[in-house]
Amino acid sequence: MRTFTPLRKIAALAVTGMFALSVSACGASGSPADSGSASEQLTVGFVAVGPEGGWRTANEENIKEAFKNADIELKYAPATNGDQNSQITAFTSFVDEGVDAIVLSATEATGWESSLKKAQEAEIPVVLLDRGIEPNDESLYTSLIAPDNVGISTAAAEWANKQFPDGGNYVVLEGPPGLSVVNDRNKGWDATVESSLKKVGSQSANWSTEEAKSVFETMLKSNNNDIQLVFAQNDEMGLGAVQAVEEAGLTPGKDVKIITIDGTKNALTALAEGKLSFVAEYNPLFGEDAVNVVKKAVAGESVEKNIVVKSVTFDSPEAAKAALPDRKY
Ligand code: AHR
């Protein structure tokens, strides 16, 4: 297990005046005093992706738990079937409602300017979680909290270069086109992978195991099985590639090495079994960071524009076996 990204650059938690006020408003018995301390509770709108896979579930549950533990009301608004319009509708409703802050995990990178400007005019801080916006106009949001996608895919390519000093053929199984995380994962990989490793295919499999199995089956057939490496941009797609390799009568980890990103238990189990070869964590557990940033933003304190969540990589069955007992997702 190797740590490669910059240490977590999280600003220290500043206990906001609002937070202290809500605590002091409680009576001696600890119950809310008559002074309407409940009205002091912050309300935050969470414009979320919704059900998407293991990583997303872990991330959204961690965010919900962190805001609950902070006694902040979090209004959860998952997208309808990943549709950005449903997110924009929820975002607008939160602005009209006058929430204290909005946290946003976007299903699309583009198309957010007018919504973000509406929140800005209403003086409602917006914190981006996991997903950035494009064009990346930093003036339109308070902060972006995410692991380093470019750094993660750079580490994956560095591992691939070492595994294939004499080169080989590879394919990329991408997330949905246009997402900031997909663009950044391509960016780090493309800038680092050696030219002796030849890309013979790349296609979106929309984070899906079933779709990735089908896509990679076709890639194997059209390349007469002459593919030695898969860069799968999330765990579910990498596990789909494992199924395709086995159905082709090949051995994953031997005939075809598969890289994935996320670091869920399913992926680390497959790495421990030798079916995956490299797993880069994309740490989803940053709910407390989101709470800290929201509290500071609502209190009018300055926060860092980009908060990089520490992630690690796993490059062997032994590393996976050592990590699995303590994994939280
Ligand atoms: O934005 C993060 C990506 O979204 C994860 O890598 C993937 O599993 C999720 O669906």
Side-chain angles (χ1 to χ4, degrees):
M1 176 168 90
R2 183 166 67 90
T3 299
F4 70 92
T5 52
L7 289 179
R8 179 189 293 248
K9 297 188 293 186
I10 303 298
L13 168 64
V15 176
T16 64
M18 180 68 72
F19 178 66
L21 181 61
S22 62
V23 171
S24 62
C26 288
S29 62
S31 60
D34 295 341
S35 60
S37 58
S39 67
E40 303 302 339
Q41 185 188 41
L42 295 182
T43 301
V44 173
F46 182 11
V47 181
V49 171
E52 192 183 49
W55 186 92
R56 184 65 56 194
T57 300
N59 177 250
E60 295 193 351
E61 289 310 309
N62 182 260
I63 289 163
K64 290 175 187 174
E65 183 183 359
F67 279 90
K68 182 181 177 188
N69 292 343
D71 191 25
I72 295 175
E73 183 186 8
L74 186 72
K75 296 193 165 191
Y76 177 64
T80 306
N81 301 320
D83 174 45
Q84 181 183 32
N85 289 327
S86 65
Q87 288 200 313
I88 291 173
T89 300
F91 188 102
T92 304
S93 298
F94 286 140
V95 173
D96 293 343
E97 181 185 331
V99 295
D100 296 294
I102 294 171
V103 292
L104 166 64
S105 293
T107 59
E108 301 282 345
T110 56
W112 285 103
E113 291 84 354
S114 58
S115 299
L116 293 170
K117 282 176 182 165
K118 185 178 168 71
Q120 210 165 46
E121 286 156 12
E123 296 183 341
I124 296 174
V126 177
V127 179
L128 305 181
L129 303 180
D130 161 33
R131 302 275 177 81
I133 58 169
E134 293 181 2
N136 183 29
D137 180 349
E138 292 189 348
S139 70
L140 292 178
Y141 59 88
T142 300
S143 187
L144 165 64
I145 304 174
D148 176 3
N149 283 287
V150 174
I152 285 167
S153 56
T154 297
E158 288 170 344
W159 178 87
N161 292 338
K162 288 179 186 150
Q163 293 298 311
F164 296 94
D166 301 323
N169 295 331
Y170 76 89
V171 298
V172 183
L173 297 175
E174 298 183 342
L179 279 181
S180 63
V181 297
V182 172
N183 295 339
D184 286 347
R185 290 174 189 180
N186 283 325
K187 184 177 175 184
W189 175 273
D190 292 343
T192 309
V193 70
E194 295 289 352
S195 56
S196 54
L197 276 165
K198 301 208 178 317
K199 184 190 291 188
V200 296
S202 67
Q203 189 173 332
S204 174
N206 292 305
W207 305 132
S208 154
T209 295
E210 186 179 351
E211 194 170 335
K213 176 175 181 280
S214 172
V215 166
F216 192 46
E217 276 173 348
T218 303
M219 289 171 160
L220 280 169
K221 287 183 182 125
S222 57
N223 286 277
N224 300 314
N225 288 351
D226 185 18
I227 297 172
Q228 290 75 46
L229 174 66
V230 176
F231 171 37
Q233 292 187 344
N234 89 325
D235 289 346
E236 278 83 1
M237 294 191 292
L239 294 171
V242 167
Q243 293 174 13
V245 168
E246 290 174 331
E247 295 225 346
L250 302 172
T251 305
K254 179 175 172 293
D255 300 317
V256 183
K257 295 189 187 297
I258 300 167
I259 295 168
T260 76
I261 294 175
D262 278 346
T264 57
K265 283 180 184 170
N266 287 345
L268 290 183
T269 300
L271 176 58
E273 294 166 348
K275 293 187 175 183
L276 292 177
S277 297
F278 182 90
V279 177
E281 180 185 58
Y282 183 70
N283 186 354
L285 307 178
F286 48 79
E288 287 182 18
D289 306 327
V291 167
N292 296 342
V293 170
V294 162
K295 283 182 177 178
K296 293 186 75 170
V298 169
E301 298 175 31
S302 65
V303 297
E304 290 184 65
K305 186 60 74 174
N306 280 294
I307 294 174
V308 178
V309 179
K310 186 177 69 136
S311 293
V312 297
T313 61
F314 303 91
D315 59 6
S316 69
E318 293 71 23
K321 288 171 188 167
L324 271 166
D326 300 326
R327 293 300 284 177
K328 296 187 175 68
Y329 70 100

